[in-house]
Amino acid sequence: MALFGLHDHNLIALDKSFPETKFNARGNRVKLTGPAEEVETATKVIEGMIELLNRKSKVAEDDVNTLVNLKSGESTANRPQIHTLDGASGDTIIHTHNGEAITAKTPGQRRIVQSSTENDIVFAIGPAGTGKTYTSVALAVQALKDRKVRKIILARPAVEAGENLGFLPGDLKEKIDPYLRPLYDALEDMIDRDRLELHLAKNIIEIAPLAYMRGRTLNNAFVILDEAQNATNTQMKMFLTRIGFNSRAIITGDITQTDLPRRQESGLISIQKILQDIDGIDFVYLGEEDVVRHKLVRDIINAYEKFEGKNKK
């Protein structure tokens, strides 16, 4: 039940993902019948599920979908094997306070991890659901635990996503917190609540709007700028010139979802041309094959890309 899920939900997910293959489960054995190539792929997915189960107490349907997405998008000649999802091949970034391993689950996430070890500034650009922010926060927390940095600074442009929220009640922190909530969510997964509150109180971990970065020099820090597609050219330059000694930065964003006014260019778009071929700065691009959210998110991204491509033509 731990492997196939309650009421065989995971097995049903496999059946939907491999329509030409028949899955027949009896006891602790499962028989696969179908086209050789699809059976081989499905077998590797099940092997990945077993390896994942050895590290966790259960396998969720989202894990199955992630394994299927990874395998369906890879070429066996030039892609990592599917077993790397469980972190056994060195993809574990950090362990949560509950002992659960946070791993680089996709090729794009692994490129972020690798690039961050080799470069001081990394731009991670890709669609929603590819784990850009989560992976970056995990790297920052690990760097803090290893005492490679003294603090973590997480910044986001406080830009409304296509709607006017008007006046928000409360003090300044209460007005700004809704924009920064995704960063808090990621941290709460990795650090127990008491320690996180202590780090926040002592400014060891600082979460702030991008506008608050002006005039500062960030030394001995791991700095993350999230949702950078909503930073203007001026803000992007301001942020990048804050980086001080012994500091590392990851800038994440989705250039297809800019919430800036139409006539205002995104700093994340223009920065790709400005900072080309500079040692110590790297650009990592993630695609729909790196999406680790609900399987429909991948289909939605594909549908929008096709629609926008037709409109451009």
Side-chain angles (χ1 to χ4, degrees):
M1 188 177 73
L3 183 66
F4 292 144
L6 186 64
H7 303 305
D8 288 340
H9 279 170
N10 294 344
L11 202 59
I12 293 170
L14 282 173
D15 190 52
K16 291 179 180 178
S17 299
F18 301 98
E20 296 183 36
T21 298
K22 182 179 179 181
F23 296 83
N24 186 10
R26 291 184 179 275
N28 65 345
R29 297 175 66 87
V30 57
K31 181 180 179 181
L32 284 67
T33 307
E37 186 176 349
E38 190 170 280
V39 167
E40 182 183 359
T41 302
T43 299
K44 290 183 178 180
V45 171
I46 294 175
E47 289 171 352
M49 292 167 60
I50 293 170
E51 293 185 14
L52 191 59
L53 183 62
N54 289 333
R55 297 186 63 85
K56 298 168 62 176
S57 59
K58 63 179 181 179
V59 178
E61 187 174 346
D62 285 347
D63 295 324
V64 177
N65 292 330
T66 298
L67 282 162
V68 171
N69 287 342
L70 282 171
K71 193 58 192 173
S72 63
E74 77 175 13
S75 162
T76 54
N78 55 24
R79 289 273 192 157
Q81 292 300 308
I82 198 72
H83 70 269
T84 56
L85 178 66
D86 73 337
S89 298
D91 290 330
T92 299
I93 302 171
I94 191 174
H95 287 85
T96 68
H97 55 93
N98 293 324
E100 184 175 345
I102 295 177
T103 65
K105 293 184 176 181
T106 71
Q109 290 179 13
R110 287 191 284 273
R111 288 196 298 272
I112 293 174
V113 174
Q114 182 63 33
S115 181
S116 180
T117 63
E118 299 172 352
N119 299 277
D120 291 333
I121 298 177
V122 176
F123 290 84
I125 300 173
T130 50
K132 305 180 299 294
T133 301
Y134 202 80
T135 301
S136 301
V137 173
L139 288 168
V141 172
Q142 186 58 50
L144 183 66
K145 284 190 172 184
D146 290 344
R147 298 185 178 181
K148 293 179 180 177
V149 295
R150 294 180 183 174
K151 66 185 305 181
I152 296 172
I153 299 175
L154 310 174
R156 257 192 171 203
V159 177
E160 296 163 346
E163 56 186 316
N164 188 355
L165 300 180
F167 175 78
L168 291 174
D171 59 22
L172 184 61
K173 183 178 183 300
E174 290 170 333
K175 294 177 192 292
I176 292 171
D177 273 358
Y179 297 102
L180 308 175
R181 189 68 247 175
L183 299 175
Y184 284 105
D185 291 341
L187 286 169
E188 287 171 357
D189 280 354
M190 302 172 197
I191 305 174
D192 70 83
R193 186 175 293 274
D194 291 340
R195 183 174 293 275
L196 177 57
E197 289 179 356
L198 182 63
H199 284 343
L200 290 169
K202 291 186 174 182
N203 279 333
I204 295 174
I205 296 178
E206 184 179 347
I207 305 176
L210 176 58
Y212 284 23
M213 296 296 105
R214 185 173 294 280
R216 302 182 61 180
T217 300
L218 308 175
N219 295 319
N220 298 302
F222 200 118
V223 191
I224 297 173
L225 174 59
D226 191 36
E227 297 290 337
Q229 75 274 6
N230 291 328
T232 65
N233 283 320
T234 301
Q235 288 176 320
M236 182 65 75
K237 180 181 178 182
M238 178 271 291
F239 174 80
L240 292 173
T241 53
R242 301 305 96 200
I243 309 301
F245 293 107
N246 191 39
S247 288
R248 299 158 63 188
I250 299 181
I251 297 92
T252 71
D254 177 4
I255 55 177
T256 68
Q257 295 195 51
T258 300
D259 300 310
L260 293 170
R262 288 187 178 181
R263 295 183 180 180
Q264 203 162 26
E265 186 179 17
S266 166
L268 187 60
I269 293 176
S270 57
I271 204 69
Q272 297 172 77
K273 300 176 183 178
I274 297 170
L275 299 184
Q276 282 183 345
D277 303 322
I278 296 181
D279 289 339
I281 298 177
D282 189 30
F283 288 85
V284 176
Y285 294 92
L286 298 90
E288 51 88 15
E289 70 276 7
D290 295 301
V291 172
V292 291
R293 289 183 185 170
H294 192 288
K295 59 182 180 179
L296 285 178
V297 172
R298 192 177 184 185
D299 296 333
I300 290 168
I301 291 170
N302 281 329
Y304 267 99
E305 286 179 349
K306 290 179 181 177
F307 178 76
E308 290 166 357
K310 287 179 181 179
N311 282 349
K312 286 181 181 178
K313 290 180 181 178

